[in-house]
């Protein structure tokens, strides 16, 4: 206290001032001191008094401390003292353990000061700004103060931080601090910040929180780490739980794959520390958050697929079958595996193939069921196994068939224990919890599966030696009638209701036993205690199912007779009231909330989640079916029959329309096919007509060329055919000869034109350019001559000017002699006249030179254009020469071809002569052709006769 008195300015002599007075003086010192050292000492004194005099310091000094944070930003020491003081005001001393009432008062006091501090949102913004200060004495108390504010008034502080620019990002920087104390307290701060605020959770996640937290977990040793790992896992749970956006971001970022190393448990599982158990428990909860049944089905399915592909499910199954694992970790692992496989066909198939490391190996399902029906196992473990079995059978028709198959006589193996045997053993054991669990598990094997409900009717049980076996259905009703415990009755009734619902064959089997209906009506009509009311409701439900799904195949128990029985022995209103007991029960509401069976004690295990759905579906339908009269049912049946007839008629018409549509489509296809065939045939006919016309033309040409009558033509054709030559070949050769001759004449004409063009270019094109060049040369010579004359005139003018100057100087020296003065004056006048004449002539010459230069430029331009024209003409000339060469080459080739053709024609003529034909010259043939043209009409008549 001496230090405080020194700061206040007094020594502890005489009567000492009270704490309130001291704090008031310190506050005045903080407010009025101009020296930084004085203010710093006063704030340090307030810090030391803030724990003992929390109320006084908070009431009087808070505003002064906030002002210190605003004004003395440059001094980190005074900032640290002020932040520590504010922290002590807002948060009570954690080292002490006050009583309950005192703790409540402390909390209320902290909430009041927190509310006063955050009344000005700028104070939170100021605090966020101070957190950017790297100095340890400022940053660490700032983190602690903000954490305390969040603990006291979480929603209000979250709202201020959310609207503050870069507020969340500044807090995320704490995770990157190299000082572990600040980093760890930053984790605690983010835990408080992310509680229940989805918007802040999204911002933190997109600030790369997942990556940083997973890195810290690995750095700290994963599941073997300390309290820091626990804090990271708690923050991850805050970010992911009930936040589909962050869950999707976590999955898309491939962070599920990074969770697999967490669950690598070795062979030696002895000596688990409490921290390791806590860490692994939180890790399993994190996996369950990603595959929780409350998530959307699509998101859950994608996470389940990712967990199987990365091997996380396999790692969890390894822990499940390992030895030495603590009971609570084993229980949570079973629950986690349950939700990873729930509704996923691939994961369910894998789980069915897992074997326990025993000798001989047993399926994991069998090992788990052994724990479920074992009354010595912990209650929570048995509940977890039941949940795992339910998840394995959820939407898994294949797994349901495999479980039911183990109960059928044809598949029972006496040397091994099967799942069916364990379920039957638990169903009829002395432990009521085993009865309930086995009944619920067997009911899940029949859920929404009509085939397995019918298959289970085949199961026969040997009750005792010397007695015939009874069916499983009959044995369940026998146990019911023996007065078992309430839990056993509820389990068996849930099994029977699930079994016979929507299965008329099972209803018939149940009603076939004469004792079942009297037992149910007796249970419903009796006035039993509070515990038995639930059994009465379930009996009413079972009897209602027998009415609703009755196919009237048994004469004694038709729908109408069962309703009359209810009306006589129970009463319809009483029946409906007893049926309503189910949904009004508290345990029913609790079971309907979520699929996992979560009960505090075994006595509370009464309802299954899937069964609550069945009750909700059937209650209304059964009530209507019981309350309806026979006349209403008849009317409804008539309406149903009418509707069925109407539906059958509509169905017939629909089938007729479908048949007609199919016929129309077939006919359309046939029309399309016939149309295409018709087009093909038309094309073929057209081609044939064209070929016939070509043959006629060829025949006419041969007839005109040879000029023979039909008999000679036929003889010639026969002779030519005998010698290997057809008339068509002769006509083709002659046509080729005529075409070659025409081409030869055309090429010769082109060659003549090109030669004439080349000749004209040689005589006209190039000399024009040479003439222009000569003209320009002459102009250049004239210009040079004029320049020379101009230079001589200029030299003469210069000489005359010099002489004039000399005369002027002489006139000045001889001015006293009158005669000489006159002589000099005459000479000067003469020289000036000569000078003026020479100057005029010089100007004239300059004008001529200018004119000539302009003419020169014009001629040079003409020369350039002529030169370019000459170059173009020269290029065209060379191109034409090349074309002439090519034409000559083509002409030579044609001449060679003509020579070959002439040779062929001569040889053909020779062959015709050898064949006895008369060969005429071309001139005679031309005249003959002209003569034949006059006789076209006669030829056409002969042609028609030949065609006939």
């Amino acid at each position: 206290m001496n230090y405080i008195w020194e700061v206040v300015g007094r020594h502890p002599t005489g009567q000492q001032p009270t704490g309130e007075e001291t704090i008031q003086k310190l506050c005045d010192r903080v407010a009025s001191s101009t020296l930084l050292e004085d203010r710093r000492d006063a704030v340090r004194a307030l810090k030391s008094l803030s724990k003992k005099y929390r109320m006084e310091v908070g009431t009087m000094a808070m505003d002064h401390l906030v002002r210190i944070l605003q004004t003395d930003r440059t001094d980190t020491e005074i900032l640290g003292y002020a932040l520590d003081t504010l922290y002590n005001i807002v948060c009570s001393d954690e080292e002490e353990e006050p009583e309950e009432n005192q703790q409540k008062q402390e909390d209320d006091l902290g909430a009041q000061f927190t509310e006063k501090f955050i009344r000005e949102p700028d104070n939170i913004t100021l605090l966020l700004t101070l957190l950017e200060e790297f100095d340890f004495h400022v940053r660490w108390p700032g983190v602690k103060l903000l954490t305390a504010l969040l603990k006291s008034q979480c929603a209000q502080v979250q709202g201020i931080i959310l609207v503050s620019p870069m507020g969340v990002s500044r807090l995320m920087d704490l995770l990157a601090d190299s000082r572990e104390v600040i980093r760890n307290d930053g984790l605690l701060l983010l835990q408080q910040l992310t509680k229940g605020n989805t918007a802040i959770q999204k911002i933190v996640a997109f600030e790369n929180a997942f990556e940083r937290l997973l890195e810290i977990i690995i750095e700290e040793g994963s599941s073997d780490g300390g309290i820091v790992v626990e804090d990271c896992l708690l923050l991850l749970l805050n970010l992911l739980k009930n936040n589909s956006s962050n869950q999707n971001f976590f999955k898309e970022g491939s962070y599920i794959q990074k969770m697999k190393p967490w669950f690598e448990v070795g062979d030696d599982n002895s000596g688990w520390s409490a921290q390791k158990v806590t860490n692994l428990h939180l890790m399993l909860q994190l996996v369950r958050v990603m595959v929780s049944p409350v998530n959307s089905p699509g998101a859950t399915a994608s996470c389940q697929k990712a967990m199987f592909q990365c091997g996380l499910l396999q790692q969890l199954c390894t822990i499940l079958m390992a030895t030495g694992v603590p009971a609570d970790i084993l229980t949570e692992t079973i629950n986690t595996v349950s939700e990873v496989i729930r509704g996923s066909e691939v994961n369910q198939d894998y789980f069915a193939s897992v074997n326990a490391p025993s000798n001989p190996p047993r399926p994991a399902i069998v090992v788990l069921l052994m724990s479920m029906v074992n009354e010595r196992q912990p209650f929570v473990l048995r509940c977890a196994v039941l949940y795992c079995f339910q998840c394995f059978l959820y939407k898994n028709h294949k797994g349901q068939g495999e479980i039911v198959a183990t109960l059928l006589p044809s598949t029972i193996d006496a040397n091994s224990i099967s799942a069916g045997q364990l379920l039957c053993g638990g169903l009829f054991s002395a432990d009521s919890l085993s009865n309930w669990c086995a009944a619920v598990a067997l009911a899940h094997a029949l859920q929404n599966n009509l085939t397995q409900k019918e298959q289970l009717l085949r199961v026969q049980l040997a009750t005792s030696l010397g007695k015939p076996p009874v069916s499983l259905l009959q044995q369940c009703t026998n146990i019911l009638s023996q007065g078992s415990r309430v839990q056993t009755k509820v389990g068996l009734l849930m099994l029977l209701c699930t079994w016979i619902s929507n299965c008329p064959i099972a209803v018939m089997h149940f009603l076939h036993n004469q004792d079942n209906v009297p037992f149910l009506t007796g249970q419903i009509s009796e006035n039993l205690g509070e515990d038995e009311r639930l059994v009465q409701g379930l009996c009413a439900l079972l009897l209602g199912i027998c009415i609703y799904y009755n196919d009237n195949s048994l004469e004694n128990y038709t729908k109408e007779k069962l309703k009359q029985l209810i009306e006589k022995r129970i009463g319809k209103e009483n029946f409906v009231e007893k049926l309503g007991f189910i949904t009004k029960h508290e345990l029913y509401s609790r079971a309907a909330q979520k699929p996992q069976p979560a009960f505090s004690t075994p006595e509370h295990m009464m309802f299954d989640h899937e069964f609550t759905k069945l009750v909700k579906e059937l209650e209304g339908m059964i009530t209507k079916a019981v309350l309806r009269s026979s006349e209403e049912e008849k009317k409804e049946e008539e309406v149903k029959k009418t509707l069925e007839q109407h539906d059958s008629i509509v169905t017939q018409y629909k089938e007729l329309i479908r048949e007609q549509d199919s016929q129309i489509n077939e006919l359309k296809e046939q029309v399309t096919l016939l149309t295409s065939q018709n087009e093909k045939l038309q094309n073929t006919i057209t081609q044939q007509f064209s070929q016939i016309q070509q043959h006629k033309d060829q025949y006419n040409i041969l007839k005109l060329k040879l000029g023979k009558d039909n008999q000679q033509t036929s003889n010639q054709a026969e002779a030519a055919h005998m010698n290997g030559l057809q008339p068509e070949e002769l006509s083709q050769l002659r046509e080729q000869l005529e075409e070659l001759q025409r081409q030869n004449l055309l090429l010769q004409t082109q060659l003549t034109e090109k030669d004439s063009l080349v000749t004209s270019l040689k005589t006209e094109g190039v000399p024009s350019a040479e003439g222009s060049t000569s003209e320009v040369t002459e102009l250049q010579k004239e210009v040079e001559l004029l320049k020379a004359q101009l230079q001589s005139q200029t030299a003469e003018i210069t000489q005359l000017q010099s002489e004039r100057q000399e005369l002027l100087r002489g006139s000045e020296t001889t001015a006293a002699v009158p005669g000489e003065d006159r002589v000099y004056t005459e000479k000067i006048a003469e020289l000036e006249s000569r000078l003026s004449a020479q100057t005029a002539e010089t100007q004239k010459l300059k004008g001529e030179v200018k004119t000539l230069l302009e003419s020169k430029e014009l001629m040079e331009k003409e020369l350039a254009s002529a030169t370019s024209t000459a170059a173009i003409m020269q290029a065209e000339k060379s191109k034409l020469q090349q074309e002439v060469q090519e034409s000559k080459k083509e002409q030579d080739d044609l001449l060679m071809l003509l020579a070959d053709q002439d040779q062929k024609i001569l040889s053909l003529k020779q062959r015709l002569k050898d064949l006895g034909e008369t060969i005429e010259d071309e001139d005679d043939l031309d005249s003959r052709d002209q003569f034949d043209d006059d006789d076209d009409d006669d030829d056409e008549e002969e042609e028609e006769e030949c065609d006939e």
Side-chain angles (χ1 to χ4, degrees):
M1 294 293 292
N2 291 334
Y3 169 75
I4 297 175
W5 305 136
E6 291 177 0
V7 174
V8 174
R10 291 180 58 188
H11 292 283
T13 59
Q15 185 179 1
Q16 296 182 354
T18 62
E20 185 175 353
E21 292 175 352
T22 306
I23 293 168
Q24 182 62 49
K25 290 182 179 180
L26 291 173
C27 292
D28 295 339
R29 192 78 168 271
V30 171
S32 60
S33 295
T34 58
L35 293 178
L36 179 62
E37 291 79 2
D38 292 344
R39 293 196 301 274
R40 187 190 305 130
D41 292 340
V43 174
R44 183 165 61 244
L46 286 173
K47 174 189 171 184
S48 61
L49 294 172
S50 59
K51 291 184 179 180
K52 184 176 181 181
Y53 299 99
R54 182 182 177 192
M55 169 70 78
E56 291 78 5
V57 174
T59 305
M60 292 184 286
M62 179 174 286
D63 295 335
H64 299 291
L65 294 172
V66 171
R67 196 173 299 110
I68 288 292
L69 297 179
Q70 294 171 347
T71 57
D72 293 332
R73 296 283 298 276
T74 57
D75 187 70
T76 58
E77 189 175 357
I78 194 172
L79 291 178
Y81 293 149
L83 291 172
D84 283 332
T85 306
L86 289 172
Y87 173 74
N88 293 336
I89 295 170
V90 172
C91 182
S92 61
D93 192 358
E94 297 178 356
E95 295 179 358
E96 300 178 358
E97 294 183 359
E99 298 179 357
E100 184 176 354
N101 295 332
Q102 186 179 356
Q103 180 66 40
K104 186 177 180 181
Q105 292 176 0
E106 295 286 343
D107 293 340
D108 293 341
L109 191 61
Q112 292 175 7
F113 287 133
T114 302
E115 187 175 355
K116 180 180 178 182
F117 184 82
I118 67 175
R119 194 174 298 161
E120 290 293 334
D122 292 339
N123 292 342
I124 299 296
T125 306
L126 175 64
L127 188 56
L128 292 173
T129 307
L130 292 175
L131 288 178
E132 294 181 345
E133 183 67 41
F134 187 74
D135 190 272
F136 180 80
H137 295 91
V138 177
R139 201 171 204 184
W140 187 40
V143 171
K144 293 195 297 181
L145 175 59
L146 188 56
T147 306
L149 294 172
L150 282 166
K151 286 181 179 179
S152 181
Q153 299 289 338
C154 186
Q156 291 84 345
V157 179
Q158 284 176 337
I160 298 172
I161 294 175
L162 189 60
V163 299
S164 178
M166 301 295 292
V168 179
S169 300
R170 291 171 179 172
L171 300 180
M172 284 299 300
D173 293 338
L174 299 174
L175 296 182
D177 201 304
S178 58
R179 295 161 293 193
E180 291 188 1
V181 176
I182 296 179
R183 185 199 67 184
N184 298 343
D185 283 351
L187 287 172
L188 299 176
L189 171 60
L190 291 173
Q191 284 181 27
Q192 297 295 328
L193 180 66
T194 55
K195 279 184 178 180
N197 194 307
T198 306
I200 293 179
Q201 290 170 0
K202 291 180 181 179
I203 296 173
V204 172
F206 283 95
E207 287 285 346
N208 205 25
F210 293 141
E211 185 74 28
R212 182 58 186 147
L213 291 174
L214 293 175
E215 289 177 357
I216 295 174
I217 290 172
I218 294 174
E219 291 172 2
E220 295 293 328
S222 295
S223 60
D224 294 323
I227 190 68
V228 178
V229 174
E230 181 182 349
D231 292 337
C232 291
L233 293 171
L234 289 172
L235 180 54
L236 284 173
L237 284 173
N238 282 353
L239 295 175
L240 292 174
K241 198 169 186 178
N242 301 323
N243 194 320
S244 58
S245 176
N246 283 0
Q247 290 174 8
N248 185 59
F249 181 67
F250 192 84
K251 177 183 67 68
E252 296 294 336
S254 300
Y255 295 116
I256 291 178
Q257 288 80 347
K258 296 181 180 180
M259 296 166 65
K260 180 188 174 184
W262 295 353
F263 304 102
E264 292 179 355
V265 179
D267 296 333
D268 185 13
N269 292 320
S270 60
W272 284 49
S273 64
Q275 187 62 56
K276 181 175 182 179
V277 172
T278 302
N279 291 343
L280 202 56
H281 196 273
L282 290 173
M283 290 173 178
L284 292 169
Q285 285 186 8
L286 199 59
V287 176
R288 293 185 64 184
V289 165
M290 299 299 296
V291 293
S292 175
V294 299
N295 298 341
S296 63
T300 301
S302 60
C303 291
Q304 289 172 336
K305 181 180 179 182
M307 289 177 183
F308 175 77
Q309 291 177 346
C310 72
L312 180 58
L313 174 60
Q314 294 84 330
Q315 201 71 40
L316 293 174
C317 290
T318 302
I319 298 176
L320 198 66
M321 295 291 106
T323 56
V325 179
D328 51 349
I329 294 297
L330 182 60
T331 302
E332 190 64 24
T333 304
I334 294 172
N335 289 326
T336 306
V337 171
S338 304
E339 294 182 352
V340 173
I341 68 174
R342 187 176 188 271
S344 175
E345 183 179 356
V346 176
N347 294 2
Q348 288 168 341
D349 291 342
Y350 171 77
F351 183 71
S353 64
V354 175
N355 289 322
S358 59
N359 191 15
R362 289 178 178 174
I365 297 174
V366 174
V367 175
L368 292 175
L369 288 177
M370 292 172 66
S371 301
M372 185 185 74
V373 297
N374 188 353
E375 56 183 319
R376 289 177 295 180
Q377 293 292 339
F379 170 66
V380 290
L381 179 63
R382 299 174 72 180
C383 290
V385 174
L386 176 61
Y387 183 47
C388 183
F389 191 75
Q390 291 173 352
C391 292
F392 170 68
L393 297 178
Y394 182 72
K395 294 183 179 179
N396 185 8
H397 290 268
K398 178 182 176 183
Q400 289 175 330
E402 292 174 352
I403 296 298
V404 173
T406 59
L407 288 165
L408 299 178
S410 58
T411 57
I412 292 177
D413 187 3
N415 298 323
S416 62
I417 300 175
S418 65
Q421 293 174 356
L422 290 171
L423 291 177
C424 285
L427 193 64
F428 308 126
S429 70
D431 180 29
S432 60
L433 183 59
S434 298
N435 301 153
W436 190 91
C437 292
V440 171
L442 197 55
H444 276 265
L446 306 175
Q447 197 78 37
N448 300 322
N449 196 327
L450 181 61
T451 303
Q452 302 310 322
K453 290 178 182 179
E454 296 175 356
Q455 288 292 323
L456 199 62
L457 295 172
R458 299 170 47 199
V459 177
Q460 300 290 323
L461 300 176
T463 56
S464 60
L465 294 175
K467 291 185 179 181
V470 297
S471 66
L472 178 61
L473 184 65
Q474 181 61 42
Q475 185 63 18
C476 291
T477 57
N478 291 339
I479 296 174
L480 276 175
S481 61
Q482 291 173 3
S484 304
R485 296 179 182 177
V486 174
Q487 192 175 35
T488 303
K489 289 182 179 180
V490 170
L492 291 173
L493 286 170
M494 286 195 298
L495 172 60
L496 291 173
C497 290
T498 306
W499 192 347
I500 70 173
S501 65
N502 200 20
C503 184
I505 299 176
V507 172
M508 184 190 67
H509 278 262
F510 180 78
L511 295 175
H512 193 270
N513 186 353
Q514 302 294 328
D515 298 330
N516 289 341
V517 174
F519 169 75
L520 294 177
T521 55
Q523 288 286 322
I524 299 169
S525 60
E526 288 183 5
N527 293 321
L528 302 176
E530 186 69 24
D531 296 336
E532 295 290 339
R533 294 180 66 183
L534 185 57
V535 177
Q536 288 182 320
L538 292 172
C539 289
L541 178 66
L542 184 58
L543 187 57
I545 293 173
C546 293
I547 295 173
Y548 188 79
Y549 291 105
N550 196 331
D551 58 358
N552 296 325
S553 58
L554 291 177
E555 185 178 356
N556 294 331
Y557 294 110
T558 59
K559 287 184 178 181
E560 185 62 29
K561 290 183 178 180
L562 287 175
K563 288 200 294 184
Q564 291 176 1
L565 185 63
I566 290 174
E567 187 173 4
K568 290 178 181 179
R569 295 191 179 181
I570 303 172
K572 291 184 178 180
E573 292 76 8
N574 189 24
F575 178 86
V576 174
E577 182 182 359
K578 296 292 178 68
L579 182 62
F581 286 165
I582 302 174
T583 54
K584 294 177 182 178
H585 203 280
E586 180 186 358
L587 297 178
Y588 173 89
S589 303
R590 192 181 301 177
Q593 293 177 0
K594 56 183 180 179
Q596 181 181 0
F599 305 101
S600 57
T601 60
E603 292 76 15
H604 289 166
M605 291 187 71
M606 289 293 177
F607 286 105
D608 174 58
H609 178 76
E610 293 297 327
F611 181 74
T612 59
K613 296 180 181 179
L614 181 65
V615 172
K616 187 177 181 180
E617 177 185 352
L618 293 177
E619 184 180 9
M621 296 188 297
I622 292 173
T623 302
K624 290 180 181 179
V626 172
L627 294 178
R628 276 198 305 260
S629 63
S630 59
E631 295 180 357
E632 291 177 351
E633 285 189 353
K634 288 180 181 179
K635 290 181 180 180
E636 287 187 1
E637 289 179 359
E638 291 177 358
V639 171
K640 286 182 180 179
K641 289 180 180 179
T642 306
L643 291 175
E644 289 176 357
Q645 292 176 358
H646 180 267
D647 292 339
S648 64
I649 293 171
V650 172
T651 305
Q652 291 177 0
Y653 277 114
K654 286 182 179 179
E655 292 177 355
L656 179 62
I657 291 170
R658 289 194 191 96
E659 291 178 359
Q660 291 177 350
D661 288 338
S662 62
Q663 292 176 0
I664 290 171
N665 291 329
E666 291 177 359
L667 291 174
K668 285 182 179 179
E669 292 176 356
Q670 291 179 3
V671 168
T672 305
L673 181 62
L674 292 173
T675 303
S676 61
Q677 291 178 355
N678 186 23
E679 290 177 356
K680 290 180 181 179
L681 292 174
Q682 291 291 341
N683 293 331
T684 305
I685 291 171
T686 304
Q687 292 176 1
Q688 290 178 355
F689 273 123
S690 63
Q691 290 177 1
I692 291 170
Q693 189 65 35
Q694 288 178 1
H695 288 308
K696 286 183 179 180
D697 294 341
Q698 291 175 0
Y699 176 77
N700 291 332
I701 292 170
L702 287 173
K703 185 176 179 182
L704 292 172
K705 293 293 182 181
L706 298 177
K708 301 296 182 179
D709 56 3
N710 295 333
Q711 185 176 1
Q712 290 176 349
T713 303
S714 62
N715 293 333
Q716 179 182 355
E718 291 177 0
H721 181 70
M722 291 174 62
N723 289 277
L725 188 65
Q726 296 291 338
E728 290 81 358
E729 295 181 3
L730 291 173
S731 61
Q732 290 176 0
L733 290 172
R734 287 176 180 174
E735 289 176 358
Q736 291 176 2
L737 179 60
E738 292 174 359
E739 183 67 25
L740 291 172
Q741 288 175 352
R742 284 196 297 272
Q743 290 179 2
N744 188 13
L745 290 174
L746 180 62
L747 290 172
Q748 287 178 354
T749 305
Q750 292 178 356
L751 184 60
T752 305
E753 292 176 355
K754 291 179 181 179
D755 288 337
S756 62
L757 179 62
V758 170
T759 304
S760 64
L761 289 172
K762 285 180 179 180
T763 56
E764 297 177 0
V766 178
S768 62
E770 293 175 355
S772 298
T773 306
S774 61
E775 291 177 3
V776 172
T777 306
E778 290 177 0
L779 282 174
Q780 288 177 348
K781 290 179 180 179
E782 290 180 4
V783 169
E784 294 294 333
L785 181 61
L786 288 173
K787 285 182 178 180
Q789 291 179 1
L790 183 61
Q791 289 177 356
S792 63
Q793 290 292 338
T794 304
E796 189 173 355
I797 288 170
T798 304
Q799 185 178 0
L800 288 173
Q801 287 178 348
S802 64
E803 290 177 359
R804 180 173 176 272
Q805 294 292 333
E806 290 177 358
L807 287 172
L808 289 172
R809 287 194 297 272
S811 64
E812 292 176 356
T813 55
T814 58
V817 184
E820 291 181 359
D821 186 14
R822 183 173 54 80
V823 172
Y824 278 114
T825 301
E826 292 176 356
K827 287 184 179 181
I828 288 170
E830 183 182 1
L831 286 173
E832 286 180 352
S833 62
R834 288 174 60 188
L835 181 61
S836 61
Q838 290 291 335
T839 302
E841 188 174 0
T842 301
Q843 295 295 331
K844 183 180 178 181
L845 288 174
K846 286 182 178 180
E848 292 179 358
V849 169
K850 184 178 180 180
T851 304
L852 289 173
L853 287 173
E854 292 176 353
S855 301
K856 178 187 174 184
E857 291 177 358
L858 182 62
M859 293 301 292
E860 284 178 350
K861 291 179 180 179
E862 293 179 355
L863 176 61
S865 63
T867 304
S868 62
T869 305
I872 293 170
M873 297 300 292
Q874 187 68 27
E876 188 173 357
K877 175 185 174 183
S878 60
K879 183 178 179 180
L880 291 172
Q881 286 178 351
Q882 184 177 359
E883 291 180 357
V884 168
Q885 293 295 330
E886 292 177 357
S887 299
K888 286 182 179 181
K889 185 176 179 182
E890 291 177 358
Q891 186 177 2
D892 293 338
D893 294 338
L894 290 173
L895 290 174
M896 292 294 292
L897 291 173
L898 287 174
D900 293 337
Q901 293 293 334
D902 290 337
Q903 188 66 31
K904 288 181 180 180
I905 290 169
L906 291 174
S907 62
L908 291 172
K909 286 181 179 180
Q910 187 62 38
R911 290 179 66 182
L912 291 172
K913 288 179 181 180
D914 294 340
L915 294 171
E917 295 291 333
T918 304
I919 305 302
E920 299 179 357
D921 294 336
E922 291 182 358
D923 297 333
D924 295 335
L925 286 172
D926 293 337
S927 62
R928 182 69 175 273
D929 292 338
Q930 185 177 3
F931 176 75
D932 291 339
D933 290 338
D934 296 333
D935 298 335
D936 285 339
D937 296 336
D938 298 334
D939 292 339
E940 289 176 0
E941 293 176 358
E942 292 175 0
E943 184 177 354
E944 291 175 359
E945 293 175 359
C946 182
D947 291 337
E948 292 175 355

